[in-house]
Amino acid sequence: MTYLIIDVLKVFKDEKPMSPGDVAQRLGIPKYKALSVVSCLSEIGLLEAIYSKGNYKIYKLSDLGEAFLAMLEGVRTIRDLL
């Protein structure tokens, strides 16, 4: 799961804003898993919703998310960071 969180954040860093469905397609994971990770990352402030209509949302990497990814450079896992 740790690698998935990092992979999702990196997708948002490398790509334009996107929906959880777009994340699922780019990473080759089930949509429910992408939605779960994106929702959690949004709740803790690493991603931010920039568009919302009903259940459809578009997210982008927040400033906090960018700082977190910068902190992870050179660290193989979140456990190593802690």
Side-chain angles (χ1 to χ4, degrees), residues 6 26 32 34-35 38 53-54 60 63-64 66 73 76 79:
I6 293 168
R26 283 181 178 73
Y32 75 88
L35 178 59
V38 168
K53 185 171 184 178
K60 73 173 192 135
D63 292 338
L64 180 62
E66 287 188 37
E73 286 184 23
R76 298 193 66 203
R79 175 173 271 166

Side-chain angles (χ1 to χ4, degrees), residues 42-69:
S42 176
E43 283 292 318
I44 62 173
L46 298 177
L47 297 176
E48 63 182 272
I50 59 170
Y51 175 82
S52 179
K53 185 171 184 178
N55 289 333
Y56 183 76
K57 292 183 181 178
I58 300 289
Y59 296 88
K60 73 173 192 135
L61 191 62
S62 69
D63 292 338
L64 180 62
E66 287 188 37
F68 182 74
L69 275 178

Side-chain angles (χ1 to χ4, degrees), residues 5-7 9-14 46 61-78 81:
I5 292 168
I6 293 168
D7 289 343
L9 289 172
K10 285 182 179 179
V11 165
F12 277 98
K13 182 180 179 182
D14 297 337
L46 298 177
L61 191 62
S62 69
D63 292 338
L64 180 62
E66 287 188 37
F68 182 74
L69 275 178
M71 207 169 50
L72 287 178
E73 286 184 23
V75 176
R76 298 193 66 203
T77 66
I78 291 176
L81 179 65

